[in-house]
Amino acid sequence: MTGFTGDGRPAAATRTVALPDGGRMPAIGMGTWHMGEDRASEEDEAGALCAGMAAGMRLIDTAEMYADGDTERVVGAALKKALHGGVPGLTRDDLFVVDKVLPEHAGADDVRRSCEASLNRLGTEYLDLYLLHWRGDVPLAETVAEFRKLCDEGLIRRWGVSNLDVPAMEELMAVPGGDGCATDQVLYHLGSRGVEVALQPWLRTHRMPMMAYSPLAQGGTRSRRGLFQDPTVRAIAQHHQATPAQVLLAWVLRDDHTVAIPMASSITHAQQNAAAAALRLTEEDLTQLDEAFPAPTEKQPLDWL
């Protein structure tokens, strides 16, 4: 399996999903949770992110919460390296940088301060997408109003949410400007399919893509090892000359309405993740995976790490 399209371009750079405003968002990117927690590993982590960009992954997802801002500094180092010769021809406009604000910072007095601090640590002038990390005590109307101001001032291009289930999304739609939400980022992988019952259909009705964090099952109701060692997953991987991780990513990306943001702290894993964008599972593959890991038939509580 190669990670390139027929014209020689990296598949990860060409696969996108539609956003409600008519724009496009990369279908596969790089998560960064746990990066920046060990100073000795930061150079390797930045190198892995740079390798991912070189392999075609243009989306990087981070959060002010991760390592108390040190993860953003690692991302900033990777961006600087990639944009200054590390990835020839790459420009900031080619990238899609996603960040998240903590719920306790989502009020009128704090959103701007958090956003500007994140921009400073990242070394960039704007965010392509700014998410409310999860629902807190600040009224959604207040957070949306602040997000809209940041959009008007050019500090962010779009805003969205994370870890919100259908009732909260419906509440969001009812506040002024709430229909400007671009996406909902939630935990989703082959072993955690609860969102398929209610949330995923709701998002599709509202033409919002879903962002899947932990698509390689780093968390949630089923362990990573349980999926990576599963006979069905391994047989499909062997058939496609792929890795189990690539099969899991291809499964998340199967509908062209979902974004996957796997984390890779090594260059090899980043390159393998990028190559998964070229893997298209067959109907038979999907049927076998459904039989091995059936979706629930009733609504489940939203899965978290």
Side-chain angles (χ1 to χ4, degrees), residues 74-241:
V74 172
V75 173
L79 293 175
K80 183 177 180 179
K81 180 179 180 179
L83 293 171
H84 292 82
V87 182
L90 187 72
T91 70
R92 175 64 182 87
D93 288 342
D94 296 325
L95 298 173
F96 198 99
V97 181
V98 184
D99 211 322
K100 296 182 283 289
V101 61
L102 283 163
E104 57 263 37
H105 297 162
D109 296 330
D110 297 310
V111 174
R112 170 181 288 280
R113 187 180 302 114
S114 281
C115 183
E116 290 179 340
S118 290
L119 290 171
N120 183 60
R121 289 188 289 265
L122 290 167
T124 188
E125 295 181 352
Y126 65 92
L127 297 172
D128 297 274
L129 180 62
Y130 200 34
L131 307 178
L132 172 64
H133 208 152
W134 66 86
R135 179 72 183 276
D137 295 329
V138 176
L140 289 174
E142 185 174 337
T143 302
V144 170
E146 295 307 307
F147 281 166
R148 295 176 73 186
K149 290 178 184 177
L150 294 177
C151 285
D152 290 342
E153 295 170 23
L155 295 181
I156 66 175
R157 296 283 175 85
R158 299 176 179 89
W159 64 269
V161 295
S162 180
N163 297 304
L164 265 62
D165 210 345
V166 173
M169 293 302 294
E170 291 180 337
E171 182 183 346
L172 178 66
M173 291 299 103
V175 307
D179 58 356
C181 180
T183 188
D184 189 6
Q185 184 181 121
V186 294
L187 188 148
Y188 182 56
H189 56 70
L190 181 60
S192 179
R193 302 181 61 175
V195 295
E196 293 180 25
V197 177
L199 180 61
Q200 192 175 57
W202 188 95
L203 291 172
R204 288 181 180 176
T205 297
H206 290 78
R207 299 181 179 180
M208 287 185 208
M210 184 174 73
M211 291 186 73
Y213 70 80
S214 292
L216 296 181
Q218 292 97 330
T221 57
R222 190 173 184 94
S223 72
R224 175 185 181 126
R225 180 173 178 81
L227 289 181
F228 275 46
Q229 301 302 321
D230 179 78
T232 301
V233 173
R234 294 181 70 85
I236 292 172
Q238 185 176 14
H239 175 73
H240 288 281
Q241 297 183 313

Side-chain angles (χ1 to χ4, degrees), residues 10 16 53 139 157 175 178 199 253 262 272 303:
T16 61
M53 286 182 268
R157 296 283 175 85
V175 307
L199 180 61
L253 298 172
Q272 290 175 344
D303 209 355

Side-chain angles (χ1 to χ4, degrees), residues 220-291:
T221 57
R222 190 173 184 94
S223 72
R224 175 185 181 126
R225 180 173 178 81
L227 289 181
F228 275 46
Q229 301 302 321
D230 179 78
T232 301
V233 173
R234 294 181 70 85
I236 292 172
Q238 185 176 14
H239 175 73
H240 288 281
Q241 297 183 313
T243 67
Q246 288 171 330
V247 170
L248 296 178
L249 289 175
W251 181 84
V252 170
L253 298 172
R254 70 197 183 280
D255 61 7
D256 293 325
H257 298 288
T258 304
V259 175
I261 48 171
M263 193 194 81
S265 55
S266 75
I267 290 175
T268 298
H269 286 161
Q271 293 169 336
Q272 290 175 344
N273 289 347
L279 176 56
R280 295 283 187 166
L281 300 177
T282 66
E283 288 299 322
E284 182 179 358
D285 294 334
L286 295 174
T287 298
Q288 291 176 358
L289 291 170
D290 280 340
E291 291 173 351

